[in-house]
Structures are given as structure tokens and as C-alpha cells.
């Protein structure tokens, strides 16, 4: 029988991960030490290693947990309603919403992604960012099948264009330009990207129908 008031193993792990993220937001990756993590949780440093094998494992799991949040935002609104361009716009709104509504989280993700010297950390975050790109790229591929996206579109490049705007939003906020490049302005840029994609697809579809009618 466990002692009353003593957190379960899973709960203690969550406390350690949350403490790690909190310290990284305050002090950056270099300032996130096991001593500070242990103090924030209220345990000893050796006690950390009852739950994790190393400091790197703590950092990687904490960043992975944080990195899943934007992905969850993308998947939550993708749904099946509307055309692919409409769904892409909803996903863009959700992703930019995460960036603007959770500036500390977004800043930490992009800061660590660009500044981390540890190859394992850089690789892990790079894979997570690639997940974001692939989700949107696959949505564009679906658009090709339904005819709402032009067939010759490089879907990876299109997805990167949309996510690059999110990176720009973070950088603008860092430079104090958040009121210049806003979420609404970023979404205007997304609409322009989608307008060109949809416009070309619609034109091709109309031309094909005309050609078929002429052949008949």
C-alpha cells in the first residue's frame, strides 16, 4: 500500500517534465540543470534518476511533449468538413493561434531548434517539425485527388511556405514587431497561397471540361 500524499510514478514524471519546461522558458536550455529541476519539483537530484536515465532523456521527453501541442492543434481542426483549401486555412489558423497565444512555448520550441548543439536534441525537434510539414503536405495531396489543388503542386514546398510564416511570426514577436506582422496578416498570406493553388486547379478543371465538350 502506497503512502498517502506520495505522488504516483507517472505523476512524478509529469511534474519533472513540467518543471523542466518551466525552467527552460526562464533560463534557456543551457540554464536548465538537474539541480534546478529537482528543486522545482521538491526532490533530490538522485531522485530524478529513479524516473529518467539521464538529463538528456528528461530534456528530450519534455521537448517532445511540448512539440506535440502544435501537432494536436493541427489535427484537431483538420476534420473532414469542407474542401482541402478550407481545411488548410483552418489548420493554419490553429497553428498560428498556438504560436500567438502561447508565445513562451513557441519561442522555446524554435529557440532550441535553432540553438541546440546536441545533435540528438536537434534531430528530435527536426523530426517533430517535419511532422507538422507532412500533415499539411498530405492534406494538399488529398486536394489533388479531389481536384481542389493543382496536380503539379509541390506539396512539401507549399506546406513549408505555410509553416515558415509561423516561424516568421515568432521572430517578429522577438524583435518587438508583433503589431506589424500579426496573425491576421499571416493568414492573409496563407489565403494568397491558397488562392493561387485553387485558382490554377479551377482553371485546369474548367479547361478540361471545355476540351471534353469540344470533343463531344
Amino acid at each position: 500500500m502506497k503512502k498517502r500524499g506520495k505522488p504516483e510514478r507517472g505523476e512524478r514524471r509529469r511534474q519533472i517534465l513540467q518543471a523542466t519546461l518551466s525552467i527552460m522558458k526562464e533560463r534557456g536550455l543551457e540554464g536548465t540543470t538537474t539541480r534546478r529541476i529537482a528543486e522545482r519539483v521538491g526532490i533530490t537530484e538522485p531522485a530524478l534518476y529513479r524516473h529518467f536515465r539521464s538529463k538528456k532523456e528528461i530534456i528530450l521527453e519534455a521537448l517532445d511533449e511540448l512539440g506535440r501541442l502544435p501537432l494536436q492543434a493541427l489535427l484537431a481542426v483538420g476534420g473532414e468538413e469542407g474542401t482541402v483549401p478550407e481545411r488548410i486555412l483552418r489548420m493554419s489558423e490553429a497553428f498560428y493561434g498556438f504560436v500567438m497565444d502561447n508565445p513562451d512555448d513557441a519561442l522555446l520550441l524554435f529557440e532550441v531548434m535553432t540553438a541546440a548543439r546536441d545533435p540528438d536534441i536537434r534531430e528530435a525537434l527536426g523530426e517533430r517539425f517535419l511532422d507538422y510539414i507532412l500533415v499539411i503536405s498530405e492534406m494538399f495531396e488529398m486536394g489533388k485527388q479531389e481536384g481542389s489543388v493543382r496536380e503539379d503542386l509541390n506539396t512539401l514546398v507549399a506546406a513549408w511556405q505555410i509553416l515558415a510564416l509561423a516561424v516568421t511570426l515568432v521572430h517578429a514577436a522577438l524583435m518587438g514587431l508583433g503589431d506589424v506582422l500579426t496573425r491576421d496578416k499571416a493568414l492573409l498570406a496563407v489565403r494568397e497561397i491558397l488562392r493561387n493553388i485553387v485558382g490554377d486547379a479551377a482553371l485546369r478543371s474548367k479547361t478540361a471540361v471545355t476540351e471534353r465538350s469540344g470533343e463531344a
Side-chain angles (χ1 to χ4, degrees):
M1 182 176 180
K2 67 179 182 180
K3 296 180 181 178
R4 290 189 61 185
K6 184 178 180 180
E8 295 181 2
R9 183 176 179 81
E11 177 59 26
R12 180 65 83 194
R13 284 177 62 89
R14 283 190 291 274
Q15 290 174 355
I16 293 170
L17 295 176
Q18 289 303 311
T20 301
L21 287 173
S22 177
I23 295 167
M24 278 197 284
K25 292 172 191 177
E26 297 168 5
R27 298 178 175 272
L29 186 59
E30 296 299 322
T32 305
T33 64
T34 53
R35 177 181 61 80
R36 289 186 172 125
I37 295 170
E39 288 178 351
R40 186 68 58 93
V41 178
I43 59 178
T44 64
E45 282 188 75
L48 290 174
Y49 301 105
R50 297 174 191 162
H51 306 277
F52 297 92
R53 289 171 295 183
S54 64
K55 175 186 172 182
K56 181 186 287 190
E57 185 179 52
I58 298 173
I59 297 293
L60 284 171
E61 284 205 31
L63 290 173
D64 185 65
E65 194 167 282
L66 179 61
R68 280 198 297 268
L69 297 178
L71 186 61
Q72 290 168 355
L74 286 173
L75 296 175
V77 300
E80 297 182 358
E81 294 184 8
T83 64
V84 162
E86 290 169 344
R87 292 159 72 182
I88 291 286
L89 184 58
R90 290 202 305 267
M91 294 167 79
S92 301
E93 289 173 339
F95 195 85
Y96 299 165
F98 172 83
V99 167
M100 302 302 285
D101 296 339
N102 303 276
D104 291 341
D105 291 344
L107 173 59
L108 177 59
L109 273 176
F110 293 118
E111 180 183 43
V112 175
M113 193 177 297
T114 55
R117 297 181 181 180
D118 188 298
D120 293 332
I121 293 176
R122 294 177 66 174
E123 181 180 358
L125 286 174
E127 288 177 355
R128 181 59 70 192
F129 200 75
L130 182 59
D131 287 340
Y132 308 153
I133 293 175
L134 290 176
V135 166
I136 296 179
S137 175
E138 288 170 3
M139 187 69 73
F140 277 128
E141 291 291 346
M142 292 173 60
K144 290 183 179 182
Q145 296 176 14
E146 73 176 21
S148 62
V149 171
R150 71 174 196 254
E151 294 180 2
D152 65 332
L153 177 72
N154 186 315
T155 58
L156 285 174
V157 171
W160 173 252
Q161 285 180 301
I162 289 173
L163 291 180
L165 287 168
V167 177
T168 305
L169 283 173
V170 175
H171 288 169
L174 281 174
M175 294 183 290
L177 301 174
D179 57 339
V180 177
L181 180 58
T182 63
R183 172 170 46 187
D184 288 343
K185 289 179 180 178
L187 287 172
L188 281 176
V190 173
R191 287 189 176 92
E192 186 62 30
I193 293 171
L194 295 175
R195 187 176 299 116
N196 291 334
I197 292 169
V198 174
D200 287 352
L203 179 60
R204 288 168 181 266
S205 176
K206 184 176 181 180
T207 301
V209 170
T210 302
E211 290 175 349
R212 286 196 297 269
S213 298
E215 292 174 358

